[in-house]
Amino acid sequence: MTGDWDDLTARIRACVLCKDLVASRNTVVPGEPGMFTRRLAVVGEAPGAQEDAAGRPFVGLSGQLLDQLLADAGLARHETAVLSAIKCRPPGNRTPRAAEVDNCRPWLAAQLDLLNPRLIVALGLTAATWFLGPRTTLAGVRGVVHEVDGRSVVATYHPSAAIRFGPNGKPLAALRDDLALAARLLGDAL
Ligand code: URA
């Protein structure tokens, strides 16, 4: 697995399909498989400024909150694969364009084929739409498990929404509930 993962990662790092993103990126952020102890993968949207600088996923403010929320749910970050729908930072953190998500789709699909997670948590609308299709709303799909092409997917809010709406906002509470659901599902499956 490790050799295959490293090989796939090298191919992702060399991707030049999205000309705008290639021109503005500092690094490509393929994602990290973690120890993958419970075969959980989380999928975010796209690298932000700090991820683009470090070449690592979820290392900025959203990442710090994600780490905390995973730990609170009993799901350690270092045991979890941390991936994203697109691997290069959109300038100014704009939402990725549909064409960019389409270009990058085979990379995430290949990562999921290789890792074969028991459960995927999609963080935010871009990731949720990646799995559940274009008419997805987070309020409409969160809180339950979806079966998508033989994979189990829980879709929930992105940690950046939890930061934006604050400690008493709905996204933080929903994220906590949905990660607790993920932990229960993984516990049941062990
Ligand atoms: N948001 C994401 O979706 N992914 C990251 O790596 C960082 C922020």
Side-chain angles (χ1 to χ4, degrees):
M1 212 291 278
T2 310
D4 292 345
W5 178 266
D6 291 348
D7 191 58
L8 177 58
T9 296
R11 289 193 291 130
I12 295 171
R13 286 195 194 281
C15 183
V16 291
L17 267 183
C18 301
K19 301 300 172 211
D20 291 355
L21 303 188
V22 171
S24 60
R25 75 188 180 196
N26 290 298
T27 66
V28 178
V29 186
E32 295 175 342
M35 285 169 52
F36 210 45
T37 317
R38 302 172 83 185
R39 295 193 30 223
L40 170 66
V42 299
V43 177
E45 178 175 289
Q50 294 182 65
E51 290 77 19
D52 174 63
R56 295 190 54 215
F58 280 105
V59 293
L61 267 188
S62 290
Q64 288 164 31
L65 179 59
L66 177 65
D67 292 359
Q68 183 63 51
L69 293 173
L70 284 170
D72 291 351
L75 301 163
R77 153 93 180 232
H78 71 278
E79 297 180 332
T80 303
V82 180
L83 310 172
S84 58
I86 78 164
K87 317 298 191 190
C88 296
R89 182 191 182 211
N93 292 354
R94 64 163 168 73
T95 302
R97 297 183 178 129
E100 292 164 349
V101 176
D102 285 350
N103 281 345
C104 219
R105 193 171 186 92
W107 294 133
L108 177 56
Q111 289 176 319
L112 295 174
D113 283 348
L114 200 56
L115 292 169
N116 193 22
R118 188 171 280 155
L119 182 67
I120 296 164
V121 174
L123 299 168
L125 191 59
T126 296
T129 301
W130 197 98
F131 290 99
L132 300 173
R135 274 182 292 279
T136 299
T137 64
L138 288 176
V141 299
R142 63 154 296 268
V144 294
V145 190
H146 302 266
E147 296 300 325
V148 185
D149 298 333
R151 300 197 190 285
S152 298
V153 178
V154 170
T156 189
Y157 292 91
H158 194 283
S160 65
I163 292 171
R164 200 161 58 246
F165 284 84
N168 299 317
K170 180 179 171 188
L172 181 61
L175 244 175
R176 282 194 185 285
D177 285 352
D178 294 336
L179 289 174
L181 168 65
R184 274 202 307 281
L185 291 165
L186 291 165
D188 289 349
L190 282 178

